[in-house]
Amino acid sequence: MTSSRPPCRLYLITPAAIPDLGAFAEALESALGGGDVAALQLRLKPASDDGIRAAAAVILPIARARGVPVILNDRPDLAAELGCDGVHLGQGDASVSEARRRLGPDAMIGVTCHDSRHLAMEAAEAGADYVAFGAFFPTTTKATTHRPDPEILTVWQEVMEVPCVAIGGITVEPAGTLAAAGADFVAVSAGVWGHGGGPAAAVAAFQQVLQGVAGDN
């Protein structure tokens, strides 16, 4: 990897359930005020369409006030309806081409690729804006069966230009290892919302670690 690669950035994911939108709005304001956040993924599972709409009504204005794009998990149809900035697709969701048709050329479309460079290359060739590898560590956020080696990030950087996201059980210290391996973004949920010092301190800590890696390159 060359030193010209941009620094790895934090990709924030909402909790899977948000029982109190008012309290979460305060937590989100705090998190986004804590440091650099490249994007926010709205990921509610399970949730009704109306539940997602209600959450988006609270989350979108807060993120936009900070200039943070909002990406909806799984649902290009709702992403288009709600005016989200993009969508993150699992392997069982809509295709990249279908998402692009619904959301337009400027939307940010990412694809979960587990531990497979083959799936990632297919997604990149289909026009994905980023690919996500993981879960790198055990996580209680979702059930996972894939555990890639960080080397997949290094190899991806050597052969592809489409950015890659590392996801899955990432806390502050391992984030630096994944950034050094080649992640363009580290996607974090519980590592921010469950941080003992609060979400602002968590984001600040991630930023410090990721910038430190950039300084070492």
PDB file of all heavy atoms in Angstrom, residues 160-183:
ATOM      1  N   MET A 160      -7.629  -3.807  -6.510  1.00  0.00           N
ATOM      2  CA  MET A 160      -8.887  -3.135  -6.844  1.00  0.00           C
ATOM      3  C   MET A 160      -8.882  -1.691  -6.358  1.00  0.00           C
ATOM      4  O   MET A 160      -8.198  -1.349  -5.388  1.00  0.00           O
ATOM      5  CB  MET A 160     -10.076  -3.877  -6.213  1.00  0.00           C
ATOM      6  CG  MET A 160     -10.213  -5.328  -6.657  1.00  0.00           C
ATOM      7  SD  MET A 160     -10.607  -5.523  -8.421  1.00  0.00           S
ATOM      8  CE  MET A 160     -12.301  -4.906  -8.458  1.00  0.00           C
ATOM      9  N   GLU A 161      -9.670  -0.851  -7.028  1.00  0.00           N
ATOM     10  CA  GLU A 161      -9.781   0.552  -6.639  1.00  0.00           C
ATOM     11  C   GLU A 161     -11.052   0.840  -5.838  1.00  0.00           C
ATOM     12  O   GLU A 161     -11.121   1.863  -5.151  1.00  0.00           O
ATOM     13  CB  GLU A 161      -9.747   1.448  -7.885  1.00  0.00           C
ATOM     14  CG  GLU A 161      -8.405   1.430  -8.610  1.00  0.00           C
ATOM     15  CD  GLU A 161      -8.361   2.409  -9.763  1.00  0.00           C
ATOM     16  OE1 GLU A 161      -9.371   3.114  -9.989  1.00  0.00           O
ATOM     17  OE2 GLU A 161      -7.317   2.483 -10.442  1.00  0.00           O
ATOM     18  N   VAL A 162     -12.064  -0.036  -5.936  1.00  0.00           N
ATOM     19  CA  VAL A 162     -13.309   0.176  -5.196  1.00  0.00           C
ATOM     20  C   VAL A 162     -13.010   0.067  -3.701  1.00  0.00           C
ATOM     21  O   VAL A 162     -12.356  -0.884  -3.262  1.00  0.00           O
ATOM     22  CB  VAL A 162     -14.361  -0.872  -5.612  1.00  0.00           C
ATOM     23  CG1 VAL A 162     -15.593  -0.792  -4.712  1.00  0.00           C
ATOM     24  CG2 VAL A 162     -14.753  -0.661  -7.067  1.00  0.00           C
ATOM     25  N   PRO A 163     -13.445   1.033  -2.898  1.00  0.00           N
ATOM     26  CA  PRO A 163     -13.141   1.005  -1.471  1.00  0.00           C
ATOM     27  C   PRO A 163     -13.705  -0.227  -0.769  1.00  0.00           C
ATOM     28  O   PRO A 163     -14.725  -0.783  -1.179  1.00  0.00           O
ATOM     29  CB  PRO A 163     -13.803   2.280  -0.943  1.00  0.00           C
ATOM     30  CG  PRO A 163     -13.909   3.172  -2.126  1.00  0.00           C
ATOM     31  CD  PRO A 163     -14.152   2.263  -3.287  1.00  0.00           C
ATOM     32  N   CYS A 164     -13.031  -0.621   0.324  1.00  0.00           N
ATOM     33  CA  CYS A 164     -13.498  -1.755   1.109  1.00  0.00           C
ATOM     34  C   CYS A 164     -13.763  -1.335   2.550  1.00  0.00           C
ATOM     35  O   CYS A 164     -13.073  -0.474   3.108  1.00  0.00           O
ATOM     36  CB  CYS A 164     -12.514  -2.922   1.051  1.00  0.00           C
ATOM     37  SG  CYS A 164     -10.865  -2.584   1.705  1.00  0.00           S
ATOM     38  N   VAL A 165     -14.782  -1.970   3.113  1.00  0.00           N
ATOM     39  CA  VAL A 165     -15.211  -1.714   4.487  1.00  0.00           C
ATOM     40  C   VAL A 165     -14.969  -2.971   5.307  1.00  0.00           C
ATOM     41  O   VAL A 165     -15.315  -4.073   4.876  1.00  0.00           O
ATOM     42  CB  VAL A 165     -16.708  -1.342   4.536  1.00  0.00           C
ATOM     43  CG1 VAL A 165     -17.179  -1.171   5.968  1.00  0.00           C
ATOM     44  CG2 VAL A 165     -16.981  -0.080   3.733  1.00  0.00           C
ATOM     45  N   ALA A 166     -14.381  -2.816   6.488  1.00  0.00           N
ATOM     46  CA  ALA A 166     -14.250  -3.917   7.444  1.00  0.00           C
ATOM     47  C   ALA A 166     -15.373  -3.786   8.456  1.00  0.00           C
ATOM     48  O   ALA A 166     -15.657  -2.698   8.961  1.00  0.00           O
ATOM     49  CB  ALA A 166     -12.895  -3.860   8.142  1.00  0.00           C
ATOM     50  N   ILE A 167     -16.017  -4.911   8.768  1.00  0.00           N
ATOM     51  CA  ILE A 167     -17.181  -4.878   9.644  1.00  0.00           C
ATOM     52  C   ILE A 167     -17.164  -6.090  10.567  1.00  0.00           C
ATOM     53  O   ILE A 167     -16.582  -7.121  10.239  1.00  0.00           O
ATOM     54  CB  ILE A 167     -18.485  -4.838   8.812  1.00  0.00           C
ATOM     55  CG1 ILE A 167     -19.695  -4.537   9.696  1.00  0.00           C
ATOM     56  CG2 ILE A 167     -18.676  -6.120   8.009  1.00  0.00           C
ATOM     57  CD1 ILE A 167     -20.959  -4.224   8.910  1.00  0.00           C
ATOM     58  N   GLY A 168     -17.804  -5.954  11.703  1.00  0.00           N
ATOM     59  CA  GLY A 168     -18.025  -7.096  12.562  1.00  0.00           C
ATOM     60  C   GLY A 168     -17.247  -7.081  13.857  1.00  0.00           C
ATOM     61  O   GLY A 168     -16.072  -7.430  13.882  1.00  0.00           O
ATOM     62  N   GLY A 169     -17.892  -6.659  14.956  1.00  0.00           N
ATOM     63  CA  GLY A 169     -17.293  -6.731  16.272  1.00  0.00           C
ATOM     64  C   GLY A 169     -16.088  -5.833  16.473  1.00  0.00           C
ATOM     65  O   GLY A 169     -15.250  -6.096  17.340  1.00  0.00           O
ATOM     66  N   ILE A 170     -15.989  -4.766  15.723  1.00  0.00           N
ATOM     67  CA  ILE A 170     -14.785  -3.925  15.761  1.00  0.00           C
ATOM     68  C   ILE A 170     -14.862  -2.923  16.918  1.00  0.00           C
ATOM     69  O   ILE A 170     -15.808  -2.150  17.032  1.00  0.00           O
ATOM     70  CB  ILE A 170     -14.605  -3.182  14.425  1.00  0.00           C
ATOM     71  CG1 ILE A 170     -14.461  -4.190  13.278  1.00  0.00           C
ATOM     72  CG2 ILE A 170     -13.376  -2.276  14.483  1.00  0.00           C
ATOM     73  CD1 ILE A 170     -14.485  -3.554  11.896  1.00  0.00           C
ATOM     74  N   THR A 171     -13.845  -2.975  17.749  1.00  0.00           N
ATOM     75  CA  THR A 171     -13.683  -1.981  18.807  1.00  0.00           C
ATOM     76  C   THR A 171     -12.460  -1.124  18.474  1.00  0.00           C
ATOM     77  O   THR A 171     -11.835  -1.305  17.431  1.00  0.00           O
ATOM     78  CB  THR A 171     -13.535  -2.658  20.179  1.00  0.00           C
ATOM     79  OG1 THR A 171     -12.482  -3.626  20.095  1.00  0.00           O
ATOM     80  CG2 THR A 171     -14.830  -3.357  20.585  1.00  0.00           C
ATOM     81  N   VAL A 172     -12.128  -0.202  19.369  1.00  0.00           N
ATOM     82  CA  VAL A 172     -11.134   0.813  19.020  1.00  0.00           C
ATOM     83  C   VAL A 172      -9.780   0.207  18.657  1.00  0.00           C
ATOM     84  O   VAL A 172      -9.203   0.529  17.607  1.00  0.00           O
ATOM     85  CB  VAL A 172     -10.981   1.835  20.172  1.00  0.00           C
ATOM     86  CG1 VAL A 172      -9.832   2.786  19.880  1.00  0.00           C
ATOM     87  CG2 VAL A 172     -12.279   2.623  20.360  1.00  0.00           C
ATOM     88  N   GLU A 173      -9.250  -0.668  19.513  1.00  0.00           N
ATOM     89  CA  GLU A 173      -7.895  -1.177  19.270  1.00  0.00           C
ATOM     90  C   GLU A 173      -7.782  -1.981  17.972  1.00  0.00           C
ATOM     91  O   GLU A 173      -6.875  -1.717  17.165  1.00  0.00           O
ATOM     92  CB  GLU A 173      -7.426  -2.012  20.456  1.00  0.00           C
ATOM     93  CG  GLU A 173      -5.974  -2.442  20.343  1.00  0.00           C
ATOM     94  CD  GLU A 173      -5.480  -3.170  21.576  1.00  0.00           C
ATOM     95  OE1 GLU A 173      -6.147  -3.076  22.617  1.00  0.00           O
ATOM     96  OE2 GLU A 173      -4.429  -3.825  21.490  1.00  0.00           O
ATOM     97  N   PRO A 174      -8.669  -2.959  17.709  1.00  0.00           N
ATOM     98  CA  PRO A 174      -8.563  -3.701  16.447  1.00  0.00           C
ATOM     99  C   PRO A 174      -8.801  -2.842  15.208  1.00  0.00           C
ATOM    100  O   PRO A 174      -8.387  -3.215  14.112  1.00  0.00           O
ATOM    101  CB  PRO A 174      -9.649  -4.777  16.571  1.00  0.00           C
ATOM    102  CG  PRO A 174      -9.960  -4.875  18.016  1.00  0.00           C
ATOM    103  CD  PRO A 174      -9.720  -3.512  18.576  1.00  0.00           C
ATOM    104  N   ALA A 175      -9.471  -1.710  15.363  1.00  0.00           N
ATOM    105  CA  ALA A 175      -9.721  -0.849  14.204  1.00  0.00           C
ATOM    106  C   ALA A 175      -8.413  -0.425  13.554  1.00  0.00           C
ATOM    107  O   ALA A 175      -8.308  -0.348  12.322  1.00  0.00           O
ATOM    108  CB  ALA A 175     -10.524   0.379  14.623  1.00  0.00           C
ATOM    109  N   GLY A 176      -7.404  -0.171  14.361  1.00  0.00           N
ATOM    110  CA  GLY A 176      -6.114   0.224  13.808  1.00  0.00           C
ATOM    111  C   GLY A 176      -5.467  -0.889  13.005  1.00  0.00           C
ATOM    112  O   GLY A 176      -4.872  -0.642  11.952  1.00  0.00           O
ATOM    113  N   THR A 177      -5.613  -2.123  13.472  1.00  0.00           N
ATOM    114  CA  THR A 177      -5.059  -3.266  12.755  1.00  0.00           C
ATOM    115  C   THR A 177      -5.721  -3.423  11.401  1.00  0.00           C
ATOM    116  O   THR A 177      -5.053  -3.672  10.388  1.00  0.00           O
ATOM    117  CB  THR A 177      -5.258  -4.547  13.584  1.00  0.00           C
ATOM    118  OG1 THR A 177      -4.602  -4.400  14.836  1.00  0.00           O
ATOM    119  CG2 THR A 177      -4.713  -5.756  12.852  1.00  0.00           C
ATOM    120  N   LEU A 178      -7.038  -3.279  11.357  1.00  0.00           N
ATOM    121  CA  LEU A 178      -7.771  -3.428  10.097  1.00  0.00           C
ATOM    122  C   LEU A 178      -7.466  -2.276   9.147  1.00  0.00           C
ATOM    123  O   LEU A 178      -7.368  -2.470   7.930  1.00  0.00           O
ATOM    124  CB  LEU A 178      -9.270  -3.526  10.375  1.00  0.00           C
ATOM    125  CG  LEU A 178      -9.690  -4.759  11.174  1.00  0.00           C
ATOM    126  CD1 LEU A 178     -11.160  -4.674  11.557  1.00  0.00           C
ATOM    127  CD2 LEU A 178      -9.433  -6.038  10.380  1.00  0.00           C
ATOM    128  N   ALA A 179      -7.311  -1.078   9.690  1.00  0.00           N
ATOM    129  CA  ALA A 179      -6.943   0.062   8.844  1.00  0.00           C
ATOM    130  C   ALA A 179      -5.555  -0.158   8.244  1.00  0.00           C
ATOM    131  O   ALA A 179      -5.326   0.097   7.062  1.00  0.00           O
ATOM    132  CB  ALA A 179      -6.979   1.351   9.662  1.00  0.00           C
ATOM    133  N   ALA A 180      -4.629  -0.644   9.067  1.00  0.00           N
ATOM    134  CA  ALA A 180      -3.284  -0.893   8.571  1.00  0.00           C
ATOM    135  C   ALA A 180      -3.279  -1.996   7.525  1.00  0.00           C
ATOM    136  O   ALA A 180      -2.464  -1.981   6.597  1.00  0.00           O
ATOM    137  CB  ALA A 180      -2.366  -1.263   9.737  1.00  0.00           C
ATOM    138  N   ALA A 181      -4.187  -2.958   7.663  1.00  0.00           N
ATOM    139  CA  ALA A 181      -4.269  -4.055   6.700  1.00  0.00           C
ATOM    140  C   ALA A 181      -4.799  -3.591   5.352  1.00  0.00           C
ATOM    141  O   ALA A 181      -4.515  -4.211   4.321  1.00  0.00           O
ATOM    142  CB  ALA A 181      -5.153  -5.168   7.248  1.00  0.00           C
ATOM    143  N   GLY A 182      -5.583  -2.502   5.351  1.00  0.00           N
ATOM    144  CA  GLY A 182      -6.070  -1.999   4.072  1.00  0.00           C
ATOM    145  C   GLY A 182      -7.497  -1.529   4.034  1.00  0.00           C
ATOM    146  O   GLY A 182      -7.996  -1.125   2.984  1.00  0.00           O
ATOM    147  N   ALA A 183      -8.201  -1.561   5.164  1.00  0.00           N
ATOM    148  CA  ALA A 183      -9.590  -1.090   5.168  1.00  0.00           C
ATOM    149  C   ALA A 183      -9.644   0.408   4.876  1.00  0.00           C
ATOM    150  O   ALA A 183      -8.888   1.194   5.434  1.00  0.00           O
ATOM    151  CB  ALA A 183     -10.242  -1.376   6.512  1.00  0.00           C
TER     152      ALA A 183
END
